Amino acid sequence: MHVSEAPTIPLLTPYKMGQFHLSHRVVLAPMARNRSYNSVPQPHAISYYSQRTTKGGLLITESTGVSDTAQGYLETPGIWTKKQIEAWKPIVDAVHAKGGIFFCQIWHAGRVSNPGFQPYGQDPISSTDKPIKGSQYASPRRLGTEEIPQIVNDFRIAARNAIEAGFDGVEIHGAHGFLIDQFLKDHVNDRTDQYGGSLENRCRFPLEIVEAVANEIGADRVGIRLSPFADYMDSGDSNPTALGLYLAESLNKYRILYCHMVEPRMKSVKEKHETSETLLPMRMAFNGTFISAGGYHKEDGNKAVEENRTDLVAYGRWFLANPDLTKRFELNAPLNNYSRATFYTQDPVIGYTDYPLLEDTFRS
Ligand SMILES: Cc1cc2nc3c(=O)[nH]c(=O)nc-3n(C[C@H](O)[C@H](O)[C@H](O)COP(=O)(O)O)c2cc1C
């Protein structure tokens, strides 16, 4: 049978996300690749992202620092200097040349950092002064109430810079125990001002960022990533369903484009563990596009779309190891395995742009 006559699977059906006409539902999940030397995106990222681009496919960048206090890992990119903006441009152009839709994940690590990553060797900032339990990270400095507008402004400017670099929009990184999550989660946030305590207060800083970014670049170009169920970096919450639901409902006010949530089964960094908890209440409550991520294979991704439990599915590790993941889904082709050992290494090729395409496999 000719390929174009094959029955279409739910993941490969088109979807209109606001003004963006997506040709399928398979999204490149944001993944730090630690190959942006001195916080500047490098030319090798052109091949990495364009290898993973399909016409009408949505890609989200690796976490990208909003300011010089935002970094916490080796060689992650930023988007606060002119040089960084210029360095992103050819990467964005390459994705656009192949018809992709490209969002920049804007990020602040908060206390998941240490003085070595800070511009003056100072302590990293957070909602709290408690260090991450059982980790090597230093004790953070609790942000003063009056300092918070400056951090909101850093996200606003980073979003403006992303648009200047040519990105179609931004994804605010509110997941995985980083700064925004350090405000959201009651196991971390121990503030007594209007940014701590009640659910409403803990969500105030994240929602101020959403509002500022939406006002700056237009709500139709803004997404957010959240992981209410995850407890990475000692960032758990006592009632994740209530937190996720409150956020989904509050986000409706700002009419942002999408809400990207990480599945409850990705509670810990290590591996997935099945649970009866679900993203369904948040999916039902949120009016925009819903993206689910975490532990998806082809079959359960198809099922989630078919059952309308999500609009789009973001794939991390399988997409990292299979640049032509969509084509492999279409052809029911086997997948390359991923190599964990090279997820976060600094080589510009190995474990980055050297995963074989289907054609390479057939050729050899
Ligand atoms: C190498 C690597 C880097 C990651 N970096 C980020 C990141 O920068 N931002 C983010 O929100 N999630 C990040 N994640 C999480 C992924 O986006 C995704 O949620 C996770 O891998 C689970 O999905 P999967 O089972 O499809 O891989 C990263 C995951 C991996 C494997």
Side-chain angles (χ1 to χ4, degrees), residues 28-34 48 60-64 76 105 107 171 173-176 178 225 232 260-263 265-266 271-272 293-297 313-320 338 340 342-344:
L28 175 68
M31 278 179 288
R33 302 311 317 277
N34 306 71
Y48 173 73
I60 305 164
T61 68
E62 58 214 276
S63 48
T64 300
T76 55
Q105 189 184 53
W107 166 69
E171 173 173 292
H173 193 346
H176 296 162
F178 297 113
R225 192 173 219 217
Y232 305 0
H260 181 179
M261 282 205 182
V262 179
E263 288 283 349
R265 62 189 173 197
M266 304 309 284
E271 258 319 318
K272 66 179 183 185
Y296 276 99
H297 293 273
V313 181
Y315 287 86
R317 292 163 292 182
W318 289 121
F319 217 151
L320 184 158
Y338 44 81
R340 276 178 206 282
T342 53
F343 278 175
Y344 304 107

Side-chain angles (χ1 to χ4, degrees), residues 124-350:
I125 57 170
S126 182
S127 62
T128 179
D129 55 12
K130 288 181 297 187
I132 300 166
K133 273 196 233 78
S135 82
Q136 305 293 331
Y137 293 100
S139 292
R141 181 177 70 79
R142 186 197 308 272
L143 279 167
T145 311
E146 71 294 346
E147 293 178 279
I148 288 181
Q150 180 55 49
I151 313 297
V152 173
N153 199 46
D154 289 341
F155 275 88
R156 182 181 68 78
I157 292 169
R160 187 173 73 197
N161 292 347
I163 298 300
E164 189 187 332
F167 283 106
D168 297 290
V170 301
E171 173 173 292
I172 298 164
H173 193 346
H176 296 162
F178 297 113
L179 183 65
I180 292 178
D181 212 21
Q182 290 158 29
F183 277 81
L184 291 174
K185 302 288 181 61
D186 65 2
H187 290 177
V188 186
N189 186 333
D190 56 357
R191 304 179 69 88
T192 54
D193 62 2
Q194 68 267 38
Y195 293 97
S198 67
L199 187 53
E200 189 187 359
N201 279 358
R202 283 182 278 122
C203 294
R204 190 181 308 280
F205 168 68
L207 293 173
E208 285 179 358
I209 292 174
V210 169
E211 185 173 26
V213 168
N215 286 341
E216 183 67 35
I217 65 168
D220 55 346
R221 294 188 180 278
V222 179
I224 188 166
R225 192 173 219 217
L226 299 164
S227 60
F229 295 91
D231 63 6
Y232 305 0
M233 302 294 172
D234 189 23
S235 67
D237 192 83
S238 58
N239 193 345
T241 298
L243 174 64
L245 200 51
Y246 177 83
L247 282 165
E249 284 165 352
S250 307
L251 290 170
N252 287 334
K253 270 207 295 281
Y254 306 101
R255 298 175 168 274
I256 60 168
L257 183 64
Y258 73 74
C259 176
H260 181 179
M261 282 205 182
V262 179
E263 288 283 349
R265 62 189 173 197
M266 304 309 284
K267 184 174 162 65
S268 74
V269 169
K270 297 216 178 68
E271 258 319 318
K272 66 179 183 185
H273 72 133
E274 291 306 331
T275 154
S276 59
E277 293 170 307
T278 129
L279 297 180
L280 215 49
M282 296 70 158
R283 194 283 190 272
M284 310 273 280
F286 183 66
N287 295 336
T289 296
F290 199 81
I291 310 180
S292 299
Y296 276 99
H297 293 273
K298 177 181 164 185
E299 287 321 317
D300 56 351
N302 269 328
K303 210 156 166 261
V305 173
E306 188 168 36
E307 293 172 359
N308 199 24
R309 283 185 279 117
T310 195
D311 296 309
L312 308 173
V313 181
Y315 287 86
R317 292 163 292 182
W318 289 121
F319 217 151
L320 184 158
N322 294 272
D324 51 359
L325 185 66
T326 325
K327 191 190 247 176
R328 287 173 192 255
F329 283 172
E330 182 186 336
L331 302 177
N332 221 5
L335 302 184
N336 299 323
N337 281 325
Y338 44 81
S339 150
R340 276 178 206 282
T342 53
F343 278 175
Y344 304 107
T345 45
Q346 279 72 62
D347 195 274
V349 176
I350 299 164

Side-chain angles (χ1 to χ4, degrees), residues 17-163:
M17 179 177 78
Q19 65 191 293
F20 304 104
H21 293 271
L22 306 184
S23 62
H24 60 79
R25 319 289 185 114
V26 180
V27 178
L28 175 68
M31 278 179 288
R33 302 311 317 277
N34 306 71
R35 286 151 166 96
S36 294
Y37 314 134
N38 297 315
S39 302
V40 179
Q42 299 292 310
H44 45 250
I46 298 175
S47 346
Y48 173 73
Y49 284 109
S50 72
Q51 281 177 340
R52 285 159 185 76
T53 304
T54 50
K55 191 170 177 345
L58 173 63
L59 296 88
I60 305 164
T61 68
E62 58 214 276
S63 48
T64 300
V66 296
S67 70
D68 63 358
T69 66
Q71 305 291 64
Y73 292 106
L74 267 186
E75 318 293 14
T76 55
I79 192 144
W80 71 88
T81 70
K82 189 76 194 152
K83 190 173 178 188
Q84 292 162 341
I85 299 171
E86 291 306 314
W88 274 116
K89 284 182 180 172
I91 305 166
V92 180
D93 288 347
V95 169
H96 284 161
K98 289 179 79 176
I101 292 129
F102 205 10
F103 274 54
C104 183
Q105 189 184 53
I106 54 174
W107 166 69
H108 196 300
R111 68 175 181 167
V112 189
S113 183
N114 61 50
F117 284 106
Q118 300 300 318
Y120 308 108
Q122 74 273 38
D123 291 333
I125 57 170
S126 182
S127 62
T128 179
D129 55 12
K130 288 181 297 187
I132 300 166
K133 273 196 233 78
S135 82
Q136 305 293 331
Y137 293 100
S139 292
R141 181 177 70 79
R142 186 197 308 272
L143 279 167
T145 311
E146 71 294 346
E147 293 178 279
I148 288 181
Q150 180 55 49
I151 313 297
V152 173
N153 199 46
D154 289 341
F155 275 88
R156 182 181 68 78
I157 292 169
R160 187 173 73 197
N161 292 347
I163 298 300

